[in-house]
């Protein structure tokens, strides 16, 4: 299930849009949540297909996620990250680590309708983007998250992101068993085994992170590996484990 580092980023021939006639944009902070279900013989992951109209990863299958909003870091939570997770998230970033986890919760709700948290009253007054989530009678929690990787989109793409990837056990972090609902951002939402996920049309960085999930599930220890940090340098692709 391990994916070679050289395949961690899409190339021009893979349909990725390359723009060399303008300054490359600065990456925006983003978060992704990989929910893992264990209610069948093989673990399954929640994935959906991006619209073909997107300039970033059109028609690709991905995990729920999106850009960090300023308000996300101030949203109250019933629990915070475990200490090992927070310590790894602060690596080479100025943003509060909790913002990344809360973004993943908000984006998962907006893109799939699934609620990560606890069935309790929202602690405090919700920010505007959190009102619909709070109206579900839910409160966010972060202790069930494991930080499994970080990747910065290579230069000269029309949109660039500095994305943090989290994994969480669906049975532990979802408030109920409701099915995911297709929306404007993601459709064909489905729970797929790791093997079936690898057969989908995936961005290479998503394929790489599925390999990271596979290694952790095989080891039986979500913290067994330091999260890889994938980025582009003048010398080419670079990876270090945080």
């Amino acid at each position: 299930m391990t994916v070679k580092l050289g395949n961690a980023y899409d190339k021009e021939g893979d349909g990725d849009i390359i723009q060399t006639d303008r300054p490359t944009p600065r990456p925006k902070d983003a978060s992704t949540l990989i929910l893992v279900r264990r209610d069948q013989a093989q673990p399954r992951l929640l994935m959906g297909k991006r619209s073909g109209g997107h300039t970033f990863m059109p028609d690709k299958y991905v995990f729920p996620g999106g850009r960090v909003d300023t308000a996300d870091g101030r949203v109250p939570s019933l629990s915070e990250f475990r200490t090992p997770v927070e310590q790894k998230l602060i690596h080479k970033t100025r943003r509060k680590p909790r913002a990344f986890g809360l973004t993943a919760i908000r984006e998962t709700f907006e893109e799939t309708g699934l609620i990560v948290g606890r069935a309790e009253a929202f602690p405090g007054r919700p920010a505007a983007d959190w009102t619909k989530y709070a109206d579900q009678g839910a409160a966010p929690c972060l202790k069930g998250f494991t930080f499994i990787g970080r990747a910065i989109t290579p230069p000269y793409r029309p949109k660039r992101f500095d994305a943090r990837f989290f994994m969480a056990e669906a049975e532990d972090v979802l408030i109920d068993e409701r099915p995911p609902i297709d929306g404007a951002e993601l459709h064909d939402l489905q729970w797929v085994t790791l093997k079936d996920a690898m057969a989908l049309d995936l961005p290479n960085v998503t394929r790489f992170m599925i390999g990271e999930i596979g290694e952790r599930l095989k080891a039986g220890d979500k913290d067994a590996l330091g999260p890889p940090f994938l980025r582009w340098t003048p010398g080419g692709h670079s990876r270090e484990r945080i």
Side-chain angles (χ1 to χ4, degrees):
M1 191 67 69
T2 302
V3 180
K4 294 180 180 179
L5 176 60
N7 294 330
Y9 286 114
D10 295 310
K11 301 181 288 298
E12 188 171 359
D14 297 326
D16 207 2
I17 299 173
I18 310 294
Q19 296 179 333
T20 57
D21 60 344
R22 65 196 68 181
T24 189
R26 184 176 181 178
K28 298 182 182 299
D29 284 330
S31 292
T32 293
L33 180 58
I34 305 169
L35 288 169
V36 182
R37 293 200 74 92
R38 295 175 182 262
D39 56 350
Q40 294 188 6
Q42 296 294 324
R44 295 180 295 154
L45 314 175
L46 179 66
M47 304 198 75
K49 187 175 183 180
R50 287 177 60 81
S51 167
H54 287 293
T55 57
F56 185 76
M57 297 182 179
D59 293 318
K60 298 287 187 179
Y61 281 86
V62 297
F63 305 110
R67 191 173 70 182
V68 176
D69 286 347
T70 302
D72 291 338
R74 299 192 296 268
V75 170
S77 178
L78 295 181
S79 65
E80 300 298 323
F81 285 128
R82 294 179 294 115
T83 299
V85 173
E86 183 167 2
Q87 289 176 339
K88 292 179 173 65
L89 280 167
I90 62 176
H91 180 73
K92 294 184 179 180
T93 186
R94 296 180 180 179
R95 193 182 291 274
K96 292 181 179 178
R98 67 191 312 276
F100 300 116
L102 289 160
T103 294
I105 292 175
R106 176 180 55 75
E107 288 285 341
T108 297
F109 174 65
E110 292 175 358
E111 294 184 347
T112 73
L114 299 184
I115 303 175
V116 176
R118 293 289 180 265
E120 297 185 23
F122 192 88
R125 183 177 180 180
D129 287 347
W130 284 82
T131 302
K132 290 183 179 179
Y133 175 96
D135 287 346
Q136 305 298 310
C141 294
L142 295 173
K143 69 177 181 181
F145 283 35
T146 298
F147 177 37
I148 69 157
R150 177 179 176 183
I152 301 178
T153 309
Y156 303 113
R157 273 58 173 181
K159 292 184 179 181
R160 299 183 67 209
F161 296 97
D162 185 349
R164 281 73 171 178
F165 292 78
F166 297 96
M167 69 176 289
E169 302 280 347
E171 289 85 353
D172 292 338
V173 302
L174 294 177
I175 68 169
D176 55 31
E177 297 292 324
R178 71 183 66 189
I181 301 173
D182 291 357
E185 292 290 326
L186 294 178
H187 63 279
D188 194 27
L189 285 160
Q190 54 185 298
W191 294 95
V192 294
T193 65
L194 275 68
K195 179 180 179 180
D196 289 343
M198 286 296 200
L200 298 173
D201 186 6
L202 306 174
N204 280 337
V205 70
T206 301
R207 193 177 299 276
F208 183 93
M209 292 302 171
I210 293 174
E212 287 291 312
I213 291 285
E215 293 296 326
R216 284 165 172 76
L217 294 177
K218 184 168 61 177
D221 180 359
K222 295 188 289 290
D223 297 317
L225 299 173
F229 183 11
L230 310 175
R231 63 193 189 281
W232 183 268
T233 69
H237 298 158
S238 172
R239 179 182 70 178
E240 63 177 303
R241 286 202 179 268
I242 304 171

